[in-house]
Amino acid sequence: METHGQRVGGGFPGYNGPALPRAMRSSRGRAESARLQSTGGAQSGVFELLATVAGQFLQDDGSKKEDQNNEVKLGCHKPLDQQKLILEMNSQVPYTECAMNYLVAQEQQITVTPSIASQVDTLKESDSALSTAKFDQNLGTASVAVKERMHVPEVQGGGTEMEQCSAGKLPETEEITEGMPMQTMETVKLMPLMSSKDSHSFPLDIELLPLIEQEEKQLSLSTESNELVEGLLEDLECPKALGKFEAGTEPAHGGDVTLETGLFQVQCKASASGEAVEPAKPIDASIIKTEEKITVKVEEKNPHLLTGVTSFMVTTSGLEGGHNTRAMFKRVKSNRDAKFFNQETIRHLRSSPRLVQETMTKRLKNSFSKGLKSRRAANKVLKSSPVSGRRRKRQHVDMESADSGSSGAKAASVASSPTAKGVSKRSSKKSCEPHVKLSIKSFAVPELFVDLPESASVANLKRAVMDAAMSLLGGGLRVRVLMQGKKVPDEGATLLQMGISRTARPESLDFMLEPSPLPSSPSTIPEDPLLVLSHATNQPSLRSGTLGHTKGSPDEHDNIDTKEAGCTFSVAPDTSLKGFNRSKNKSTVTERIPRESLVAGSGAIILHPGMGTGDDLTAMALVPLRQKITQALDIGKRRVRRPFSVTEVEALVHSVEKLGTGRWRDIKLRSFDQAKHRTYVDLKDKWKTLVHTAQIAPHQRRGETVPQELLERVIRIHTYWTAQAAKQQAELDF
DNA sequence: ATTAGGG
DNA sequence: CCCTAAT
């Protein structure tokens, strides 16, 4: 392994051999790092800048590059109309990242006009290609589309420019990059770029639905009450379907509701005109006319796919002497058989319609004040119906019911943290201490702003919301606990003291996700009681959530302090928890997950999918995480797939050509230093697949087709370095 | 933290 | 892409 520096010329056409000797493991990072350093540390950011520049070239009317302090604008031009959108991003997520999604999806020309635009006009046209390349580097898959539309000459020299740039050889850009505040903002906002007089903003109901595996899930709803269905549909935001029911004078009978799931499926309805802007999906809900009993039956067409979807809002009008009550029902967990909202629940609701209504109203109002609401945010906890034995792992117990007797019995912790197993044993034996069990089906989404011209399509809107949401998530979140809609005064109070265990009604308790404060102010924020629950614990688990009921006599409620109280949060489990149980080695996961976005400091907690005892246990436990939220979010979750763009492949090929295989880390630094989502392992893997791709028949290739020319190059390079490695091996053997 | 491979 | 073993 100490063999290096051999000349590798003539390996392939036009290649003169690597300029750098194979770095020894010991010297890793020196040579290149040094070079990078020499550029004055401004290196990081070059890409961003270039992205910017690239944008300049794209701009139709490069006339508008007014500075907007700390504001990054992304303009999106569509051939036909003036579909311009400005994406103001203030998040820790590199704006390019955010922009990427948007752009990629839009598949259209992009324009990036950063605040420092005025400083960027130094690049000349000749740099356009380079810029493009850079841009691509940052935007990943967006590149292709961009490039194509731009008609920009291909990057020549196989990415040499990129390397140079990476090495900090673009003086013009260095200074500019400095101090660019692009990686630390907080809000996402979409607003019309062009002064659109006509683009009035109107309230929109936007709902973010947690999606499962990109697949399309379906829910079949049936109810005995037309009103219920009506409400359901309404809440499911299926305008068309709703209208359908409204129109009918006589009891409607049947209809379909298709819920799309995926990462986030945004469904919306313009409330201004009351007209649906998005065609409703076909509905497959049938209204079963029975008695006046309000029973909602929820069946799943694809049980195994729908484990996660769980709550609906049901409007029950006409009940209780004219009361128009709105209540939320939580779907009983099992997904096998048809679910019924037990009569008990219904009765309960009926008995306290006012309460429900009140709560709902408050929530809605609150949401509206923020400009956008997430209906699913508000949730109710229902008493778990006597579900048949087995998998009641995740039963949700109504808090009220808790004090009405059967507390101890059901006390069986629902914990699900990695170590829950061991602990559960302990707890099961003794602790009879009343536990507070909550079911958080969803969190209220922090404020998001989405403004766009009327000309924008619904797809655009969805995209925008998506971006806003993602950006927000990337910026880090923290949990806020609200009681009666108000922030809990003393976060150190115990659940008992707060009355969360008995007195409080489920609906009086709210959880909300809010943007994380600046990473710099860790201790500034008082910790939420819940956060405290599992603080000072980096050790995976043992303390988080439900565990830790070490002691405890039924009446020893005093012990329910922030430290010991076992609190389980059953978060709507994602159907596909495929990856969840994998991360046994958290450190590994951590290591491998590049900090695409740093997150706020202490206090930040996240919901962590716990590992159950192997059953359908999918509850999540609160776990402290003072590092990266993304990391947290990623735990156990597979990273989003991000296909390599041709440009990226080019860059990779070029680097491998020069450095050979086996030096992925250097390759990463060389050509993907700014692509935070590409780890050296990714590059290595990509090369592997590239080689494979190049060896199979063209018709067997999938995805974005890599130019044959490139693939041939891959083969040559691969062959070359393989031989080279063999030689070395031979030398050693000798 | 990296590298190399299998899955 | 993920997961691991071995460096």
Side-chain angles (χ1 to χ4, degrees), chain A residues 649-717:
Chain A
V649 171
E650 284 177 358
L652 175 60
V653 170
H654 186 260
S655 280
V656 175
E657 181 173 70
K658 189 159 264 177
L659 305 178
T661 54
R663 294 177 65 193
W664 307 108
R665 189 263 190 168
D666 289 333
I667 291 170
K668 153 77 177 169
L669 258 39
R670 192 189 184 87
S671 303
F672 296 81
D673 196 32
Q674 303 306 305
K676 301 305 179 192
H677 57 294
R678 302 293 191 204
T679 68
Y680 42 74
V681 175
D682 291 332
L683 302 181
K684 184 263 297 175
D685 287 343
K686 181 54 185 175
W687 178 258
K688 181 174 61 177
T689 64
L690 262 181
V691 171
H692 177 260
T693 301
Q695 297 174 323
I696 61 177
H699 70 274
Q700 296 180 68
R701 297 169 189 165
R702 296 179 299 177
E704 189 172 26
T705 57
V706 178
Q708 182 58 36
E709 169 272 306
L710 244 182
L711 291 177
E712 284 168 12
R713 216 167 130 207
V714 167
I715 291 292
R716 284 206 305 278
I717 298 172

Side-chain angles (χ1 to χ4, degrees), chain A residues 305-316:
Chain A
L305 294 181
L306 255 189
T307 317
V309 184
T310 55
S311 71
F312 312 99
M313 271 164 102
V314 181
T315 296
T316 58

Side-chain angles (χ1 to χ4, degrees), chain A residues 412-475:
Chain A
S413 173
V414 192
S416 65
S417 81
T419 51
K421 227 182 274 185
V423 185
S424 65
K425 235 175 205 156
R426 285 188 293 168
S427 55
S428 65
K429 183 184 303 169
K430 245 288 177 91
S431 99
C432 298
E433 170 185 88
H435 285 200
V436 176
K437 300 183 182 183
L438 304 174
S439 171
I440 300 176
K441 280 161 295 188
S442 66
F443 278 106
V445 176
E447 180 174 25
L448 294 176
F449 282 114
V450 179
D451 269 54
L452 50 177
E454 293 181 318
S455 56
S457 66
V458 175
N460 288 337
L461 173 60
K462 292 169 75 172
R463 198 62 213 173
V465 174
M466 171 70 145
D467 286 340
M470 295 311 274
S471 177
L472 184 71
L473 290 173

Side-chain angles (χ1 to χ4, degrees), chain A residues 53-66 77 84 109 111-113 117-118 121:
Chain A
V53 178
Q56 286 302 104
F57 290 111
L58 289 173
Q59 206 145 29
D60 295 335
D61 53 326
S63 58
K64 53 184 59 187
K65 43 187 179 182
E66 57 268 292
H77 307 208
K84 284 195 174 184
Q109 226 177 72
T111 300
V112 183
T113 310
S118 57
D121 48 22

Side-chain angles (χ1 to χ4, degrees), chain A residues 94-125:
Chain A
Y95 73 86
T96 47
E97 287 259 342
C98 305
M100 182 172 78
N101 293 324
Y102 181 75
L103 299 173
V104 172
Q106 295 300 306
E107 264 203 282
Q108 43 187 277
Q109 226 177 72
I110 49 180
T111 300
V112 183
T113 310
S115 50
I116 38 56
S118 57
Q119 306 173 57
V120 224
D121 48 22
T122 48
L123 285 191
K124 294 298 171 271
E125 196 172 21

